[in-house]
Amino acid sequence: MIERLEATLEKYNNLEKELTKPEVLSDIKLTRQYSKEMSDLEDIVNCYKKYKKILTGIEDAKEMMKDSELGEMAKEELKELEEEKTKLDSELEVLLIPKDPNDSKNVIMEIRGAAGGDEANIFAGDLFRMYTRYAEKQGFSYEVFNSVEGTAGGFAQIEFIIKGKGAYSLLKYESGSHRVQRVPVTESNGRLQTSTATVLVMPEADDDVEIEINPNDLRIDIYRSSGCGGQGVNTTDSAVRITHLPTGLVVTCQNERSQIQNKEQAMKVLKSRLYELQEQERLEKEGNERRSKIGTGDRAEKIRTYNYPQNRVTDHRIGFTTNNLDRIMDGALDDVINALIQEDQKRKLQGETNE
């Protein structure tokens, strides 16, 4: 572990030196790349520097214990330093787990009402509110780029982006089928019903991601907006639907004011979808990594149940249950997400140990 930490520290110091060179500073792309690499290493480097100080402190305390007058005090100090060292050992172990290169990115999410008719669409709307409330609590922003409202409320489909550093790292576990158990407002007999909504999560493909899109592979349709995009959104043919012919992927954007803005947004989402497809293919080839992940990330995988009568939420992938559904639906997702992150780290650590 020490060898890896020393190599990380050396790389960090080298990047710091590179960023003082005029030829690097004059190259915006290179400056951004080096700055991002440094930022990714910062937590490890800071923790390791603290760790090195603790090691030095331990050696000093051991020397002091030889002194008859200072020995007792040194013994107490040594005990505290050893405890701190054990804590930092665990922290560094986790920090050294290879990071998902997409973790720092914005996240694109799509929620669809599935089984359950009107109630499924209402639940899709509830999930949208849950995620956007969570985003606000994290200091993130969000933007809807396409929505199809349900006839009784909620959404048959809604697509949006959550913007903020690390948004993907927190929400990447949300892909799959979410099940709700409750008495729907649309149910006159007061019977409990089970409905589902599906969630798809993708990292936004930023400028650093190179995805080639051949214009000849695209079919672009323009039509009149029908979503909730503000005053005047329905008065012009501004909505854009882009079909990527080789893959059959379809992206729609209708919530911007102009056709140009909608086309730009749709192209960004298409790029992200193609990037996600590329990542899925890579993971299929790497087999083992996919097996060690929490869930498959597939839209059809049943991942979570929201039971309203019992105020209970259960994540089936990790056996996590909490009885504060009301708070979770208001965006208090931290306990669920932290449990998923911890389990993910645990599995990755076990995977590294077994290699």
Side-chain angles (χ1 to χ4, degrees):
M1 186 173 86
I2 296 295
E3 282 178 15
R4 287 172 69 189
L5 289 165
E6 280 296 332
T8 303
L9 182 59
E10 187 181 353
K11 185 180 178 184
Y12 183 88
N13 290 336
N14 288 339
L15 285 166
E16 202 167 36
K17 284 175 192 170
E18 287 295 312
L19 279 167
T20 62
K21 294 179 180 177
E23 62 269 28
V24 172
L25 291 169
S26 62
D27 186 329
I28 295 169
K29 194 174 179 183
L30 203 57
T31 301
R32 194 187 298 143
Q33 182 194 321
Y34 287 171
S35 297
K36 186 182 181 302
E37 284 181 37
M38 273 187 76
S39 176
D40 290 343
L41 298 174
E42 208 158 28
D43 286 345
I44 300 176
V45 167
N46 289 339
C47 193
Y48 182 45
K49 283 178 178 175
K50 201 188 293 183
Y51 186 76
K52 287 175 87 168
K53 279 184 183 176
I54 294 291
L55 291 180
T56 303
I58 286 171
E59 290 306 311
D60 291 345
K62 283 177 179 176
E63 279 298 313
M64 281 170 65
M65 280 174 70
K66 295 172 186 175
D67 188 304
S68 56
E69 289 181 15
L70 300 172
E72 202 56 43
M73 188 175 74
K75 189 178 177 182
E76 192 60 39
E77 190 179 333
L78 182 63
K79 187 186 170 188
E80 288 175 13
L81 289 166
E82 292 283 6
E83 284 172 4
E84 185 67 19
K85 179 184 175 292
T86 303
K87 186 181 156 195
L88 289 173
D89 271 326
S90 301
E91 272 184 50
L92 286 167
E93 225 177 19
V94 170
L95 286 168
L96 281 170
I97 296 170
K99 280 192 169 55
D100 183 333
N102 296 316
D103 273 354
S104 62
K105 293 179 180 174
N106 298 331
V107 63
I108 290 173
M109 300 184 74
E110 179 186 294
I111 305 173
R112 289 185 188 180
D118 286 339
E119 169 64 4
N121 292 343
I122 291 168
F123 180 50
D126 293 339
L127 290 177
F128 170 68
R129 182 181 183 277
M130 177 183 81
Y131 289 126
T132 51
R133 290 282 290 130
Y134 173 72
E136 287 167 351
K137 288 173 194 281
Q138 300 301 311
F140 299 157
S141 63
Y142 68 91
E143 183 184 334
V144 175
F145 54 85
N146 184 45
S147 61
V148 180
E149 293 180 3
T151 52
F155 299 97
Q157 180 177 336
I158 184 160
E159 294 156 272
F160 56 103
I161 184 168
I162 291 178
K163 298 179 180 180
K165 189 178 178 184
Y168 181 73
S169 71
L170 296 171
L171 291 162
K172 63 182 175 183
Y173 307 103
E174 296 302 303
S175 275
S177 178
H178 296 242
R179 184 173 66 165
V180 63
Q181 294 174 323
R182 65 184 175 189
V183 177
V185 289
T186 54
E187 175 61 66
S188 56
N189 296 321
R191 288 177 302 186
L192 192 71
Q193 183 179 316
T194 299
S195 306
T196 59
T198 62
V199 177
L200 179 65
V201 177
M202 298 174 289
E204 182 189 29
D206 52 26
D207 295 336
D208 298 332
V209 174
E210 290 182 14
I211 300 283
E212 282 188 30
I213 300 175
N214 186 338
N216 296 324
D217 289 340
L218 303 177
R219 187 178 74 233
I220 301 175
D221 300 308
I222 309 298
Y223 61 100
R224 186 153 293 187
S225 298
S226 59
C228 47
Q231 191 179 0
V233 77
N234 297 320
T235 59
T236 59
D237 292 337
S238 61
V240 175
R241 182 190 299 112
I242 299 178
T243 306
H244 186 251
L245 300 172
T247 59
L249 287 172
V250 179
V251 173
T252 302
C253 186
Q254 59 175 326
N255 281 14
E256 298 294 342
R257 289 260 177 185
S258 74
Q259 188 186 121
I260 292 170
Q261 286 175 314
N262 279 323
K263 187 179 175 185
E264 282 176 1
Q265 183 67 60
M267 285 299 292
K268 279 183 188 176
V269 176
L270 178 61
K271 185 180 175 185
S272 297
R273 283 182 180 268
L274 290 169
Y275 176 58
E276 174 70 4
L277 211 59
Q278 189 176 287
E279 285 290 283
Q280 282 176 1
E281 286 169 7
R282 179 182 67 80
L283 287 173
E284 288 296 338
K285 286 175 188 171
E286 292 176 5
N288 288 335
E289 185 185 333
R290 194 164 178 82
R291 276 194 293 275
S292 70
K293 284 178 71 181
I294 289 179
T296 60
D298 295 335
R299 181 174 222 134
E301 183 191 14
K302 291 174 185 172
I303 66 165
R304 198 174 295 149
T305 296
Y306 303 75
N307 185 304
Y308 273 72
Q310 296 175 22
N311 199 40
R312 187 184 73 228
V313 174
T314 301
D315 195 290
H316 305 292
R317 296 163 297 177
I318 60 171
F320 177 86
T321 297
T322 179
N323 290 95
N324 61 350
L325 179 145
D326 50 342
R327 290 185 62 249
I328 283 171
M329 297 312 291
D330 194 41
L333 270 168
D334 299 273
D335 288 349
V336 182
I337 287 172
N338 288 339
L340 286 159
I341 290 170
Q342 283 166 20
E343 179 61 24
D344 192 26
Q345 289 172 345
K346 182 179 151 190
R347 290 184 192 186
K348 283 175 178 169
L349 277 171
Q350 285 171 347
E352 286 204 337
T353 307
N354 295 333
E355 281 175 7

